[in-house]
């Protein structure tokens, strides 16, 4: 996993004070990193249009223009002039070199957006909006310096943002690049070193970007074993039986030795899935909530009171019954609407989905500090997983998972790993990664992915 930071100004300041690196040195490395990327990816004489703001993000762009001058056909556009000291220095250098300054947006092979960096903390004015609209309409390769302009420090977009194919961010990864809202704008994200390697530039953090290598598959390395060795998951079936059947199949495919669907009605289950009217005596984990509906309250209370690892999803986030178990070491997997309901039940806040989506990290942090034993997975295109004060972001999610049953597969995967003895955090991280990576491995049209397809892809990981 990689470290994530809410801001990097303090990291820059540390470079100035501890390593005697000047602002100018850091800026030259920032510009050079983009120049090296362009020179590696694109042939000489390509036309490059660099649009620069008045601050230090714009200064990065002016320095970039100087570094690419003569090797490429560079046009430099400064719609707001220059205001920061470094922007003035870089403009003077560019003028001395004879760079081509232009007064309007023109079509080019490559566009580099250096209007606003990660420090944007106000709404864009009409001129800025117009510039970004025009840039987005051009059929060029689009590169963002640090962050696509229009995305603010919280990863929010008030009106419009630059659509980047590549974002080259400076020094370290920022959380603002990994909100659900940002995902369609940032493209591929690369990190530029600023005079020192990242492990020196970066300090401690409580936020992390998950990678494929963080997925711990339940591979069986011991031959002397039996089905009980790999746990027994009980999946509670409610009104919508299909949800529990999907979760049960996913759990079995992900390594659980035994899977039982608990229901008072007879279900049509695959032959490898057992059925019981009550919890199994040798149950090692419980998955509950998926398609639950109007289940008998006292029975739910009894199930929730069991000292057994649990994954809770869906309908229970609307029920006060969940308040009785929030001191337990359990996994909760709400989607945004369900999380809003949970926040209200817990007297944290009464908000709508839009307000939550604009502040996902904020509300995850508030909830997990109030309930430090809970592992929370907030569903979204970028999945947020948190335990107490640590946050992990899974960015492998895709639109192919936006279908009924996908969440039931995830519940089954997490429940399977809990049953096999994974701790709650490791089970949630590994299951979430397996879930999204398997979806990305699906080779047919992304609109056609079904829960069965997803389970088949999980088997291939």
């Amino acid at each position: 996993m990689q470290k994530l930071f809410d801001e990097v100004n303090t990291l820059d300041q540390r470079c100035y004070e501890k390593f005697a690196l000047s602002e100018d040195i850091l800026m030259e490395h920032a510009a050079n990193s983009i120049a090296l990327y362009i020179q590696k990816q694109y042939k000489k004489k390509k036309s490059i249009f660099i649009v620069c703001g008045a601050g230090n993000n714009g200064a990065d762009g002016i320095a970039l223009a100087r570094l690419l001058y003569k090797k490429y056909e560079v046009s430099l556009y400064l719609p707001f002039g220059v205001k920061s000291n470094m922007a003035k220095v870089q403009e003077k250098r560019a003028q001395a070199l004879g760079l081509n300054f232009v007064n309007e947006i023109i079509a080019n092979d490559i566009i580099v957006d250096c209007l606003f960096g990660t420090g944007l903390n106000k709404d864009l004015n009409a001129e800025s909006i117009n510039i970004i609209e025009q840039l987005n309409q051009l059929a060029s390769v689009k590169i963002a310096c640090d962050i696509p302009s229009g995305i603010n420090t919280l990863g929010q977009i008030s009106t419009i943002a630059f659509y980047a194919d590549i974002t080259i961010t400076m020094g370290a990864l920022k959380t603002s690049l990994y909100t659900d809202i940002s995902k369609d704008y940032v493209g591929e994200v690369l990190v530029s070193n600023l005079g020192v390697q990242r492990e020196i530039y970066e300090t401690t953090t409580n936020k992390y970007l998950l990678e494929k290598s963080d997925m711990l598959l339940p591979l069986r390395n011991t031959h002397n074993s039996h089905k009980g060795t790999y746990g027994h998951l009980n999946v509670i079936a409610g009104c919508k039986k299909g949800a529990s059947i999907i979760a049960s199949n996913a759990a079995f495919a992900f390594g659980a030795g035994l899977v039982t669907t608990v229901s008072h009605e007879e279900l049509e289950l695959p032959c490898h899935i057992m059925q019981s009217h009550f919890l199994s005596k040798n149950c090692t984990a419980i998955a509950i909530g998926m398609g639950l509906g109007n289940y008998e309250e006292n029975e739910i209370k009894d199930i929730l009171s069991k000292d057994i690892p649990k994954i809770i999803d869906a309908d229970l986030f609307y029920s006060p019954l969940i308040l009785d178990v929030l001191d337990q070491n359990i996994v909760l997997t709400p989607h945004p609407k369900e999380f809003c309901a949970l926040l209200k039940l817990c007297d944290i806040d009464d908000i709508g989905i839009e307000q939550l989506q604009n502040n996902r990290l904020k509300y995850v942090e508030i909830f997990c500090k109030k309930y430090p034993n809970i592992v929370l997975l907030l569903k979204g295109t970028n999945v947020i997983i948190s335990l107490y004060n640590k946050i992990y972001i899974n960015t492998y999610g895709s639109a192919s998972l936006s279908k009924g049953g996908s969440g039931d597969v995830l519940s089954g995967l997490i429940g399977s790993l809990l049953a096999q003895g994974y701790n709650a955090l490791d089970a949630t991280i590994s299951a979430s990664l397996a879930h999204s990576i398997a979806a990305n491995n699906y080779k047919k049209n992304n609109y056609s992915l079904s829960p069965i397809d997803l389970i088949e892809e999980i088997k291939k990981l």
Side-chain angles (χ1 to χ4, degrees):
M1 58 186 70
Q2 300 183 61
K3 292 180 177 180
L4 289 170
F5 296 87
D6 293 333
E7 57 83 25
V8 295
N9 287 337
T10 54
L11 303 185
D12 286 348
Q13 193 64 36
R14 178 170 166 267
C15 286
Y16 307 150
E17 297 171 359
K18 187 170 183 177
F19 307 125
L21 296 173
S22 67
E23 186 176 25
D24 201 356
I25 289 175
L26 266 64
M27 184 167 289
E28 288 300 317
H29 278 86
N32 190 54
S33 67
I34 304 178
L36 289 174
Y37 173 83
I38 290 173
Q39 291 175 73
K40 182 178 180 180
Q41 297 292 329
Y42 305 105
K43 296 178 181 179
K44 297 179 181 179
K45 300 304 178 184
K46 287 281 187 182
S47 60
I48 301 177
F49 182 79
I50 305 174
V51 56
C52 301
N56 279 0
N57 195 249
D60 289 340
I62 301 171
L64 171 65
R66 169 170 46 81
L67 293 172
L68 296 176
Y69 182 59
K70 289 299 184 185
K71 193 167 187 178
Y72 297 90
E73 297 175 9
V74 179
S75 298
L76 193 55
Y77 181 41
L78 279 60
F80 310 114
V82 292
K83 293 181 181 178
S84 74
N85 290 333
M86 284 307 307
K88 292 174 182 177
V89 169
Q90 295 293 2
E91 182 188 36
K92 185 176 180 180
R93 292 170 180 170
Q95 288 173 339
L97 202 60
L99 259 75
N100 180 34
F101 287 79
V102 298
N103 296 315
E104 60 181 351
I105 295 173
I106 53 178
N108 282 265
D109 298 320
I110 301 166
I111 294 171
V112 185
D113 162 35
C114 301
L115 279 170
F116 308 106
T118 51
L120 182 66
N121 57 10
K122 60 183 180 181
D123 291 345
L124 300 177
N125 60 28
E127 186 176 1
S128 298
I129 292 171
N130 181 54
I131 289 170
I132 294 173
E133 284 179 342
Q134 291 184 64
L135 295 175
N136 284 343
Q137 291 171 6
L138 296 177
S140 308
V141 174
K142 297 183 175 72
I143 300 172
C145 173
D146 206 23
I147 191 170
S149 291
I151 301 176
N152 69 16
T153 55
L154 298 176
Q156 302 164 340
I157 299 172
S158 62
T159 48
I160 192 172
F162 179 76
Y163 278 104
D165 300 302
I166 301 287
T167 296
I168 302 178
T169 198
M170 302 308 159
L173 294 172
K174 291 89 175 176
T175 53
S176 52
L177 293 166
Y178 296 103
T179 63
D180 277 15
I181 296 167
S182 297
K183 187 157 187 171
D184 284 320
Y185 294 86
V186 297
E188 181 184 357
V189 179
L190 305 175
V191 180
S192 163
N193 290 339
L194 299 180
V196 291
Q197 294 299 313
R198 279 176 68 185
E199 54 263 39
I200 297 173
Y201 178 82
E202 296 175 345
T203 55
T204 58
T205 183
N206 69 326
K207 298 181 178 70
Y208 301 90
L209 179 70
L210 293 173
E211 301 177 285
K212 291 182 180 180
S213 58
D214 296 311
M215 178 175 60
L216 305 175
L217 294 173
L219 300 172
R220 300 182 174 189
N221 300 316
T222 302
H223 295 294
N224 184 21
S225 63
H226 54 84
K227 58 190 176 184
T229 304
Y230 303 107
H232 187 175
L233 176 67
N234 278 200
V235 179
I236 312 303
C239 296
K240 298 177 181 178
K241 310 297 189 301
S244 58
I245 295 172
I246 290 170
S248 298
N249 274 307
F252 197 87
F254 210 42
L258 295 165
V259 177
T260 294
T261 306
V262 179
S263 175
H264 297 308
E265 301 178 26
E266 292 302 318
L267 304 177
E268 293 185 12
L269 296 170
C271 57
H272 55 276
I273 305 296
M274 299 180 291
Q275 180 175 345
S276 173
H277 296 311
F278 304 99
L279 286 181
S280 308
K281 291 183 178 180
N282 62 343
C283 172
T284 58
I286 297 169
I288 184 170
M290 308 79 64
L292 195 62
N294 297 318
Y295 211 90
E296 208 285 315
E297 185 173 307
N298 288 330
E299 190 169 354
I300 293 297
K301 283 184 177 180
D302 182 60
I303 292 171
L304 293 177
S305 69
K306 303 296 184 186
D307 187 20
I308 301 172
K310 302 177 191 71
I311 152 67
I312 297 176
D313 189 27
D315 292 344
L316 276 177
F317 298 126
Y318 300 96
S319 170
L321 292 175
I322 200 169
L323 298 176
D324 296 332
V325 298
L326 295 181
D327 60 340
Q328 297 182 19
N329 184 13
I330 57 178
V331 179
L332 307 180
T333 58
H335 60 52
K337 183 180 179 182
E338 293 163 349
F339 192 45
C340 289
L342 183 59
L343 291 171
K344 185 176 181 179
L345 275 175
C346 298
D347 290 325
I348 291 176
D349 211 337
D350 184 4
I351 59 171
I353 294 174
E354 183 177 357
Q355 187 175 346
L356 171 65
Q357 290 298 85
N358 268 318
N359 299 277
R360 284 164 60 86
L361 287 173
K362 170 188 171 180
Y363 285 104
V364 166
E365 287 183 299
I366 293 171
F367 180 87
C368 288
K369 285 180 179 177
K370 184 172 182 177
Y371 301 106
N373 295 323
I374 297 291
V375 173
L376 174 70
L377 181 152
L378 178 58
K379 294 171 182 173
T381 186
N382 286 336
V383 176
I384 301 174
I385 299 167
S386 181
L387 173 61
Y388 184 41
N389 66 341
K390 295 286 182 69
I391 287 180
Y392 308 86
I393 300 180
N394 169 12
T395 62
Y396 295 102
S398 64
S400 62
L401 289 168
S402 299
K403 299 188 78 172
S406 295
D408 304 319
V409 172
L410 177 61
S411 296
L413 299 181
I414 295 172
S416 180
L417 296 185
L418 290 174
Q420 293 174 70
Y422 281 58
N423 67 51
L425 181 61
D426 287 344
T428 306
I429 287 174
S430 293
S432 175
L433 288 170
H435 185 251
S436 48
I437 291 169
N440 289 334
N441 290 343
Y442 181 65
K443 301 301 182 187
K444 296 181 182 179
N445 290 320
N446 64 359
Y447 58 77
S448 66
L449 181 70
S450 71
I452 295 171
D453 296 324
L454 184 54
I455 291 170
E456 288 303 311
E457 290 297 335
I458 286 163
K459 292 178 182 180
K460 302 173 187 177
L461 292 172

